[in-house]
Amino acid sequence: MIKLLKKFKAFLIGFIIMIPVFYVLDYFGFILLPKEKSFEIFIYATIWGFIIALPFYYFKKNKQTVIRLLVLFLVLVTALIIDSYMKLPDNPITFILIMGFWVGIAYVLSPTFIKKYWKLIVIIYGPLLLYFIYLRLFSGDLQAYLEIKKDYPFYIFFLPIPILFLIWVFEQWKWLQNLKAEKSNAELSLLRAQINPHFFFNTLNNLYALTVKNSKQAPEVILKLSNMMRYTIYEGEKETVQLDDEIAYLNNYIELHKIRYKKSVEITFDYSSVDTHLTIVPLMYIILLENAFKHGVETLTEKAFIHIKLFDDNDFIYFTIENNFDPNEVNETNGIGLENLKRRLTLLYKNQHELIVSTSNNRYKTTLKISKHA
């Protein structure tokens, strides 16, 4: 609480000093305070205290803003002096200066909004100002003007303010949504960069061993690895890809692992029941496949298997992967990969996905369900 008061003490001081200032100005006849209306005086003191405090609050942060506020304050003082000495009811000069003052305050507080909607503001207030000048100067004598004023009071100038305020609120909401989207995109870029780097290093080590032995498999490994790297770099940056491209990427990954292992591993990948022209966010399944190898196949010396199925129905695309593992070799940590996947799913599919993980009889099964209409 103390820190908050220190941060905004300029506004508190502005409010405190404005009440005696009001009564001094009223005493010398510069303003006329409503008698027996303490609440109105309190509201006026709050508003003007806030305005007076703005230069002191912004002084260290933005000198240009302070200069603008000082100029606006001089405009306000000028308007009050003119109004005091000319003593004309609804003086047009004072009225124009006061309007300029409030528009200036709005510009200082939200310059982007004023720059964007200045035409709308001119369209709204331009005719009102011209109509006021016409009534005040050209509709007859002062008595005739005062009679017309009863039918068209000054508060019509305040009627557009709620509309402009709602537009401003909408602009702030839109800015906040864009900020969230930019944050999500930056986060997704970071998550994509975390996908699979150790797989490529392991494959390069295996490739080195194959080239040393002059193995005939070396060119095949180079081609598959090249295709995977190209997909990761170029297709991985797209918002969506076709399922057949993602399937080809997974098949390359599987084939590279088959070349790598000396032991027999049963791997099946059934995608006959899916429409391969459907689109999906790229690199969404690779983490689950990678985990099946890392925490399943690599923990077993024999009878290792991975069963993968990709299918769809009217509303969802399903990816299921099941593998066995050695319970004595279980890694207690989920690793960055699965957390990466969960975070990406949350950012990209929000409530239109479901990730189900189950373990039974030394078997690990994961089902990823994603809406077609996401």
Side-chain angles (χ1 to χ4, degrees):
M1 184 65 181
I2 295 175
K3 289 183 178 179
L4 188 66
L5 290 175
K6 287 182 178 179
K7 184 177 181 181
F8 296 103
K9 65 180 180 181
F11 297 104
L12 182 62
I13 293 171
F15 166 71
I16 292 172
I17 66 173
M18 280 311 297
I19 292 179
V21 167
F22 268 20
Y23 282 105
V24 169
L25 292 175
D26 179 63
Y27 179 80
F28 286 102
F30 286 104
I31 62 173
L32 181 63
L33 293 179
K35 304 301 181 183
E36 299 179 355
K37 292 186 177 180
S38 301
F39 180 74
E40 289 188 16
I41 297 173
F42 175 82
I43 296 297
Y44 295 152
T46 301
I47 294 172
W48 289 108
F50 176 82
I51 294 168
I52 298 300
L54 279 175
F56 301 98
Y57 181 74
Y58 281 106
F59 184 74
K60 293 182 179 180
K61 298 180 179 181
N62 194 332
K63 292 183 179 179
Q64 190 175 11
T65 302
V66 172
I67 293 171
R68 289 173 179 169
L69 288 171
L70 290 174
V71 170
L72 290 171
F73 182 73
L74 289 175
V75 170
L76 177 62
V77 171
T78 302
L80 292 175
I81 292 172
I82 291 174
D83 195 58
S84 175
Y85 279 97
M86 295 184 71
K87 296 181 179 179
L88 290 176
D90 297 341
N91 189 329
I93 298 175
T94 304
F95 189 80
I96 293 171
L97 288 174
I98 293 294
M99 281 196 67
F101 170 78
W102 284 114
V103 171
I105 289 293
Y107 180 82
V108 169
L109 294 176
S110 185
T112 304
F113 178 81
I114 299 299
K115 287 178 182 178
K116 185 174 181 179
Y117 290 100
W118 70 269
K119 292 181 181 178
L120 176 63
I121 294 170
V122 170
I123 289 172
I124 292 174
Y125 280 103
L128 287 175
L129 181 60
L130 291 175
Y131 185 59
F132 163 74
I133 293 174
Y134 167 76
L135 291 178
R136 182 64 184 84
L137 299 179
F138 304 105
S139 62
D141 58 15
L142 178 59
Q143 192 61 37
Y145 164 73
L146 293 175
E147 288 296 324
I148 296 173
K149 182 183 173 182
K150 292 179 181 179
D151 298 324
Y152 301 97
F154 273 131
Y155 63 72
I156 63 172
F157 283 90
F158 297 95
L159 293 179
I161 291 178
I163 299 173
L164 294 172
F165 178 73
L166 289 175
I167 295 173
W168 179 82
V169 169
F170 173 74
E171 287 290 326
Q172 301 309 303
W173 175 84
K174 191 165 64 173
W175 171 80
L176 186 60
Q177 296 305 308
N178 290 337
L179 187 64
K180 288 181 180 178
E182 289 175 8
K183 182 178 180 293
S184 296
N185 289 334
E187 205 166 342
L188 282 172
S189 297
L190 178 62
L191 291 173
R192 287 190 184 110
Q194 294 173 351
I195 292 172
N196 246 1
H198 63 277
F199 164 74
F200 289 111
F201 284 118
N202 290 338
T203 306
L204 286 171
N205 286 333
N206 294 330
L207 178 59
Y208 173 75
L210 292 173
T211 55
V212 168
K213 297 177 183 178
N214 291 322
S215 172
K216 294 180 180 179
Q217 289 181 306
E220 181 185 354
V221 172
I222 292 172
L223 180 61
K224 290 184 182 299
L225 183 61
S226 174
N227 288 337
M228 288 194 69
M229 293 184 72
R230 184 182 300 109
Y231 184 87
T232 302
I233 294 170
Y234 296 108
E235 302 301 313
E237 291 300 316
K238 294 181 178 179
E239 290 186 6
T240 59
V241 294
Q242 287 193 340
L243 269 178
D244 54 358
D245 293 327
E246 192 77 3
I247 290 168
Y249 179 76
L250 296 175
N251 276 326
N252 277 335
Y253 184 90
I254 292 168
E255 292 303 317
L256 285 174
H257 270 290
K258 284 181 178 178
I259 294 170
R260 183 180 159 203
Y261 292 125
K262 302 299 180 184
K263 59 190 176 185
S264 176
V265 181
E266 179 192 340
I267 303 175
T268 61
F269 186 9
D270 179 11
Y271 47 87
S272 60
S273 300
V274 71
D275 180 1
T276 57
H277 294 95
L278 292 171
T279 58
I280 195 171
V281 174
L283 305 173
M284 195 61 73
Y285 300 134
I286 187 64
I287 291 172
L288 298 177
L289 180 56
E290 182 182 21
N291 281 347
F293 279 104
K294 182 178 179 181
H295 303 295
V297 173
E298 293 183 7
T299 67
L300 295 165
T301 56
E302 59 181 11
K303 296 183 180 180
F305 70 82
I306 298 176
H307 297 159
I308 312 163
K309 188 170 184 180
L310 187 60
F311 60 98
D312 68 291
D313 59 19
N314 291 334
D315 299 310
F316 294 95
I317 302 171
Y318 298 84
F319 181 85
T320 65
I321 183 165
E322 184 177 9
N323 63 274
N324 57 345
F325 62 91
D326 184 348
N328 297 319
E329 299 290 335
V330 172
N331 188 346
E332 294 297 330
T333 61
N334 290 329
I336 194 173
L338 196 57
E339 292 304 315
N340 183 321
L341 175 62
K342 290 178 180 178
R343 184 60 181 153
R344 290 186 74 207
L345 286 168
T346 300
L347 288 170
L348 294 166
Y349 289 106
K350 297 183 180 178
N351 298 323
Q352 296 179 297
H353 78 279
E354 188 175 3
L355 183 64
I356 305 167
V357 179
S358 62
T359 305
S360 64
N361 299 325
N362 298 339
R363 292 190 175 200
Y364 193 83
K365 184 176 181 181
T366 304
T367 300
L368 176 56
K369 176 182 172 183
I370 294 175
S371 172
K372 287 182 176 181
H373 314 294

